[in-house]
Amino acid sequence: MTAVQGTTVDIPTEDGTADAYLSHPGDGSPHPAVLLYMDAFGVRPRLNAMADRLAEAGYTVLVPNVFYRHGRAPVFELPEFIDDASRPALFEQIVPVMQALTPERAMQDADAYLRWLADSPVVADGPVAITGYCMGAGLALRTAGTYPERVAAAAGFHGGRLATDGPDSPHLLAEHITAELYFGHADEDPSLPAEQIKRLEDALTTAGVRHHCEVYPGAHHGYTQSDTSAYHREGDERHWAALLDLLDRTF
């Protein structure tokens, strides 16, 4: 197992400074980059541990606090374990912050994250891969469509609102995507109903995007997050296998 180095870094953006967690193999060599987009609960020990696992596999991983306009991580005071009882009060705080991150702001930030990675001595030359969770899956899809020349692969897990009927839905960028995509959808996810799954699949197929989309039976929204009551071990393990396989094919 590769020893990893993890640290907090600051990324200059057009609207300020985004704090981020950076993890990479401790061998002093540059490695392919993975941009890991957080879920709504934000950058915290669970996501840092996920980044470390990817770094152990040979990647340089950046986990930006996409809510940096509202403060450094942790933006919200989270319990050690996020159970069903604690969710309503948390989401009262989280939803307005999520809504403030417009697609335009998010993609302006994505440019800053990608530029930072391109300039980092611990990142190998070439395009990056992206993985995103919950809201981060939509950010991954949107980034792949906005910066196709810089994204070689993108994955999303238990993503919501990936293919709405709104004018700024991320699936509408499908025609611009050149990356290979993978999506592991949560089972019976109210934020991604069957009609959105079909709309996403149809858009990717029509655009000729290399992709694979699967629904994980029994795995509900948030299934990769072991610090929450939504965690589903089988779904999480399946996610790791699919993600590492995608990265292995890409790099």
Side-chain angles (χ1 to χ4, degrees):
M1 188 176 290
T2 305
V4 304
Q5 293 181 357
T7 186
T8 299
V9 297
D10 287 341
I11 299 170
T13 74
E14 288 191 31
D15 288 341
T17 300
D19 53 305
Y21 180 72
L22 178 72
S23 186
H24 58 91
D27 57 7
S29 300
H31 292 268
V34 177
L35 175 60
L36 192 160
Y37 276 128
M38 61 185 232
D39 62 359
F41 296 126
V43 181
R44 61 193 191 282
R46 170 58 181 168
L47 291 187
N48 295 353
M50 293 171 73
D52 290 346
R53 180 165 175 175
L54 288 172
E56 287 171 358
Y59 303 100
T60 293
V61 188
L62 185 70
V63 190
N65 168 23
V66 304
F67 294 155
Y68 70 87
R69 292 174 181 83
H70 303 269
R72 297 179 71 86
V75 176
F76 311 107
E77 190 173 333
L78 301 172
E80 272 190 42
F81 185 79
I82 302 166
D83 59 17
D84 292 345
S86 59
R87 284 175 182 266
L90 277 174
F91 274 98
E92 279 187 25
Q93 304 173 58
I94 291 170
V95 168
V97 175
M98 287 177 64
Q99 292 173 339
L101 185 66
T102 62
E104 294 74 22
R105 284 176 175 163
M107 290 305 96
Q108 174 186 296
D109 293 342
D111 178 55
Y113 307 148
L114 293 169
R115 286 177 184 274
W116 190 93
L117 285 168
D119 291 340
S120 171
V122 295
V123 172
D125 291 341
V128 310
I130 306 175
T131 185
Y133 301 86
C134 298
M135 62 169 277
L139 293 175
L141 177 58
R142 199 179 292 282
T143 303
T146 305
Y147 301 106
E149 71 286 355
R150 291 192 257 174
V151 180
F157 300 94
H158 46 83
R161 301 183 59 78
L162 298 178
T164 71
D165 54 10
D168 59 357
S169 177
H171 81 286
L172 297 174
L173 295 166
E175 63 182 308
H176 304 293
I177 293 172
T178 56
E180 180 180 354
L181 303 187
Y182 176 89
F183 289 96
H185 303 313
D187 196 11
E188 298 182 27
D189 186 348
S191 71
L192 195 75
E195 61 267 22
Q196 285 199 41
I197 291 176
K198 184 179 187 304
R199 189 180 290 142
L200 174 63
E201 181 79 38
D202 289 349
L204 296 177
T205 300
T206 299
V209 177
R210 290 170 297 149
H211 71 279
H212 189 56
C213 301
E214 301 180 287
V215 176
Y216 289 13
H220 293 175
H221 187 83
Y223 63 78
T224 62
Q225 300 303 307
S226 61
D227 59 352
T228 79
S229 55
Y231 183 67
H232 184 266
R233 183 177 298 278
E234 185 180 334
D236 185 33
E237 290 174 355
R238 186 173 173 182
H239 131 263
W240 280 114
L243 176 57
L244 291 169
D245 188 49
L246 175 67
L247 296 176
D248 193 44
R249 284 198 304 278
T250 302
F251 298 116

